[in-house]
Amino acid sequence: MSSAASTFRGPPTAGRPVFQTSHLGEIEWEPECELFLPAGLPGFEAERRMMPLEIPAQRPLVYLQSLEHPEVCFVTLPVRTIDPQYQLRLSEDDRAALLLDPVRQPEIGADVLCLILLLPASGTVQVNLDAPIVVNLHNSRCIQSFSTERAAGYFRLGDDHWEPVC
Amino acid sequence: MLVLRRRVGESIVLGEDIEIEIVEISRTRVKLGVRAPRHVTVQRREAVNVAAENRQASGMLPSYGPDGVDEVLRLLKKHLNGTAKGAGTNADM
């Protein structure tokens, strides 16, 4: 996926700091992979430290595990696995929160990692492409960006494709 | 709805200890400053909807469990294989 995520390697190596999670078991805490969320996430304002984790057999899923509360863990996908043409538009405020260049829009992959939360939806999942989680790859700051101006909308994972949710 | 006209630097007060000041007005936007006690949650309207979705998203692992996640993954890989055959994949995330 990207250098921002840690790969879940099963039982931790002796001597390395570990974090006990509720759903993924013990994970190795890798400071270089830790994300800092200056405002948490809406509904989870206390979650200021999170760790992105990949399980090789479950790629391209990325777990976002809270380092504050072991039971808080989100399942996400890199946005372009859903929509290869997805264009990220961050507001001035969002760019300031991520300490990004205030003038130009960031590039997914080069400047930022862009993840979408999976929402459970009767046996499958849906996503809101208008509320991506954006990580500055250069400083690990992370926010959830949302705006009333975007209209990428909701998509549900059907039998083998993403279909728009009306 | 109560509608008030204000200029930059002016403010309105809600109750006894919440003050909203007009900081800047541009062509399409208004920048507001809010002074409120720490226990008062101040957020944009759209954040309320996203917060509800995030709470729903945090229930994904507990409610689906590993088998449910595997099923989602199976559907996802089917989709990704289709995409790869059709138009190529995009490795950027």
Side-chain angles (χ1 to χ4, degrees), chain A residues 19 46-50 65-72:
Chain A
F19 183 77
E47 307 302 335
R48 302 296 174 97
R49 297 164 60 231
M50 298 195 104
Q65 171 64 51
S66 164
L67 295 175
E68 312 277 4
H69 298 99
E71 72 281 8
V72 176

Side-chain angles (χ1 to χ4, degrees), chain A residues 58-144:
Chain A
Q58 294 190 341
R59 283 187 178 132
L61 293 182
V62 179
Y63 292 94
L64 264 189
Q65 171 64 51
S66 164
L67 295 175
E68 312 277 4
H69 298 99
E71 72 281 8
V72 176
C73 184
F74 298 96
V75 189
T76 75
L77 273 176
V79 67
R80 285 188 172 161
T81 60
I82 301 166
D83 176 4
Q85 309 304 322
Y86 185 86
Q87 291 298 317
L88 180 65
R89 301 279 311 167
L90 291 182
S91 69
E92 267 179 53
D93 289 346
D94 286 345
R95 279 179 285 174
L98 289 169
L99 306 181
L100 284 165
D101 185 331
V103 179
R104 73 173 176 89
Q105 286 292 335
E107 201 178 311
I108 295 176
D111 303 314
V112 295
L113 169 68
C114 192
L115 300 169
I116 296 293
L117 290 180
L118 298 190
L119 309 169
S122 44
T124 181
V125 289
Q126 73 180 39
V127 293
N128 176 3
L129 292 186
D130 291 327
I133 291 183
V134 185
V135 178
N136 182 337
L137 290 170
H138 305 297
N139 61 19
S140 298
R141 287 173 78 90
C142 174
I143 60 158
Q144 188 167 19

Side-chain angles (χ1 to χ4, degrees), chain A residues 1 23 41-45 57-61 63 73-75 77-78 80-81 84 108 113-114 117-125 128 144 146 148-149 154 157-162, chain B residues 29 31 41 43-44 46-64 66 68-80 83 88-93:
Chain A
M1 181 200 66
H23 307 293
L41 298 174
F44 294 85
E45 285 77 11
Q58 294 190 341
R59 283 187 178 132
L61 293 182
Y63 292 94
C73 184
F74 298 96
V75 189
L77 273 176
R80 285 188 172 161
T81 60
I108 295 176
L113 169 68
C114 192
L117 290 180
L118 298 190
L119 309 169
S122 44
T124 181
V125 289
N128 176 3
Q144 188 167 19
F146 46 88
T148 48
E149 290 173 13
Y154 289 81
L157 184 56
D159 188 35
D160 63 354
H161 62 285
W162 291 94
Chain B
R29 291 178 175 228
K31 192 183 273 187
T41 304
Q43 53 189 344
R44 290 180 279 167
E46 56 270 30
V48 177
N49 300 335
V50 173
E53 282 179 10
N54 287 351
R55 281 190 281 273
Q56 197 186 341
S58 73
M60 175 93 191
L61 272 179
S63 63
Y64 277 36
V69 172
D70 282 346
E71 174 57 15
V72 168
L73 199 63
R74 190 187 65 76
L75 290 174
L76 190 65
K77 285 187 171 165
K78 217 168 145 189
H79 158 69
L80 289 174
T83 308
T89 53
N90 191 327
D92 290 341
M93 306 292 179

Side-chain angles (χ1 to χ4, degrees), chain B residues 13-33:
Chain B
V13 175
L14 307 181
E16 292 187 351
D17 48 11
I18 300 174
E19 184 176 2
I20 301 172
E21 183 182 328
I22 312 301
V23 175
E24 187 183 308
I25 302 173
S26 67
R27 196 169 57 84
T28 56
R29 291 178 175 228
V30 177
K31 192 183 273 187
L32 303 173

